[in-house]
Amino acid sequence: MARILTGIQSTGRPHLGNILGAIIPAIELSKQKDNESFFFIADLHSLTTIKDAEVRRENVNATAAAWLAFGFDTANNLFYRQSRIPEVCELTWYLNCFTPYPMLANAHSFKEKSDKLADVNAGLFTYPVLMAADIILYDADFVPVGKDQKQHLEMTRDIASTFNHRYGDTFVLPEAKIDENVMTIPGIDGQKMSKSYNNTIDIFLPDKKLRKVVMSIVTDSTPMEEPKNPDNCNVFALYSLLASEQEIKEMRHNYEGGNYGYGHAKQALFELIVEKYAEPRKLFNHYMENPDALESKLKEGEEKAKVIATEVLNRVRGKVGYL
Ligand code: TYM
């Protein structure tokens, strides 16, 4: 049996990058026979950037609702809020003491965020250690994530191996599962889609607002009549991630044939999103309107997660001499 684990930060409503990069591939893995999945809401990580309590509660619900909207089977797996199993904070402290400072100072995500954000706090710096604790606290075997998390997984393995080397086998060494076909989903400006770059596509928006976002995808200024190169176009890149082979072929033909504007391509992308995600969009709204249903599914998972976390933490406490 393989244990699959992944988390999403509750820094907003999950966007198309989170959905294609993590939610859908993770749920696919969770459906494979003999896999047991631990999917959680990384609400402690969200405190590195979000300080408002009400915003946090809303974001936690939205992140939970997105997992459920895409069909995560919470009855046969574990679904929980990271903060409700505070054992992870104790493990983070132990791991902090086995993490070399330069490893954190050289993390790409820290360098990127510290260049962009005004609030560069210590939580942002030690973020990868909390993430390592998230993973090894549950003896996870595989971690489905987008490519941007690859280095964090390497750090997790390094930290866990350092500990194992010093104290003998304690932690399972997890493996990242990155879908090479999906890679990094671009945002509406062509950079990596990310909440912190303000370039996301929130597929759960009402039609009118969603259309407005899709229409704002940045393109070049090739006139409508002229042929266009689909391989240089962000609208085409996003369309290709969602469409069937036949639809992609037709769209390529439209671009190359001329008399087909970016506005037409954007409209086609908008319609495809609405059609393809009709069911998850409906379910998302249902859960957002019924927070009690979210709460009870999370509580059920948290009880189960707590038992496993306590067991693994006791193993660690024993090794370092706190038990
Ligand atoms: P977060 O919340 O930034 O993103 C959640 C997941 O979505 C993927 N993702 C993307 N995939 C493709 N293209 C994109 N543009 C894109 N943007 C985001 C991410 O790779 C991720 O899989 N540190 C993590 C959350 C976390 C975690 C963990 C993950 C905390 N603890 C333990 C796995 C295991 C993060 O900030 O992801």
Side-chain angles (χ1 to χ4, degrees), residues 5-11 15 17-23 40 42 45 82 113 127 130-131 134-135 143-149 152-153 182-187 192-195:
L5 176 145
T6 200
I8 296 188
Q9 268 202 83
S10 48
T11 40
H15 54 70
N18 301 136
I19 291 166
L20 295 174
I23 296 184
F40 69 96
H45 278 110
Q82 179 191 34
K113 286 182 186 163
Y127 182 109
L130 175 57
M131 179 158 163
D134 285 331
I135 299 169
V143 184
V145 279
K147 196 176 162 241
D148 60 324
Q149 298 297 317
H152 286 153
L153 261 296
V182 174
M183 305 298 278
T184 300
I185 312 298
K192 173 196 152 190
M193 187 179 290
S194 165
K195 284 162 238 174

Side-chain angles (χ1 to χ4, degrees), residues 14-77:
H15 54 70
L16 192 59
N18 301 136
I19 291 166
L20 295 174
I23 296 184
I24 293 177
I27 291 178
E28 279 313 307
L29 269 180
S30 76
K31 288 181 181 159
Q32 286 176 15
K33 202 169 150 273
D34 293 337
N35 280 354
E36 181 188 24
S37 298
F38 290 54
F39 295 165
F40 69 96
I41 299 150
D43 56 347
L44 291 172
H45 278 110
S46 79
L47 189 57
T48 56
T49 49
I50 296 197
K51 307 295 197 251
D52 186 283
E54 223 16 77
V55 171
R56 185 173 340 281
R57 289 186 192 105
E58 185 70 19
N59 289 347
V60 165
N61 284 351
T63 310
W67 275 117
L68 298 176
F70 278 90
F72 182 44
D73 172 4
T74 58
N76 291 306
N77 295 289

